[in-house]
Amino acid sequence: MAGLHVSVSFLTIIVGLMNLSLLSASQNGNNNNLRDACRVTRYRDLCIHSLSSFSHSAKQSPSRWARAGVSVTIGEAKRVAEYLVKVRKQGAMKGSRNRAALSDCIECFQDAIDNLHNSLGVLRKLSDKKFETQMSDVMTWMSTVMTDEDTCLDGFAGREGKPVKLIRKQVMNVSYVTSNALALLNRLANAGVGSLDI
């Protein structure tokens, strides 16, 4: 009876190790998919960090990685927009030029968020018949997002002070995320309609 108990325990340990091995292999596959998707981006470490939670669901799908990139950008843009509004409410910006630049920046981010939502909406409804037109629309909106971010930064050109430096840092970070999303969209466009999960 003791021998049977040892055999059952040993078998349980073996099955557990096999499950761990399979889990590890699955995670390695997901990490490889993530690294493969991010290899087209300019800011790879940021891409890997910001998209790691999507590696299981996106797998090798260019359209899913593109949606993930835009989704992450929406989250970052909203975070920055909230930060900008907070800075305005606190009255931290000194000087009329800085306050005007801040207001313009808030407006730019509202426009950017609208364009990001438009892009994500189209990416969720990609079809083989309208693929090229849909991708053209998305690329236009995403390019406008980059322009909005650059316009925000331009408003603070030559300006100094801690609030301005913090705003620049926040906006630069979201512009890097946007750049990565654009790279993932280009990857999808290059992969073509045949890569869709329809």
Side-chain angles (χ1 to χ4, degrees), residues 108-109 111-112 115 143-153:
C108 285
F109 267 84
D111 184 56
N115 283 313
S143 294
T144 302
V145 170
M146 289 292 293
T147 301
D148 286 332
E149 293 162 358
D150 289 342
T151 301
C152 173
L153 288 171

Side-chain angles (χ1 to χ4, degrees), residues 2 9 14 27 34 42 45 57 62 78 88 93 107 113 115 153 172 186-187 194:
S9 295
I14 295 295
Q27 289 173 340
L34 174 62
R42 180 181 232 175
D45 290 342
S57 60
K78 284 182 176 180
R88 182 171 61 187
M93 295 302 285
E107 189 176 318
I113 291 166
N115 283 313
L153 288 171
M172 288 301 296
N186 276 321
R187 179 178 183 238

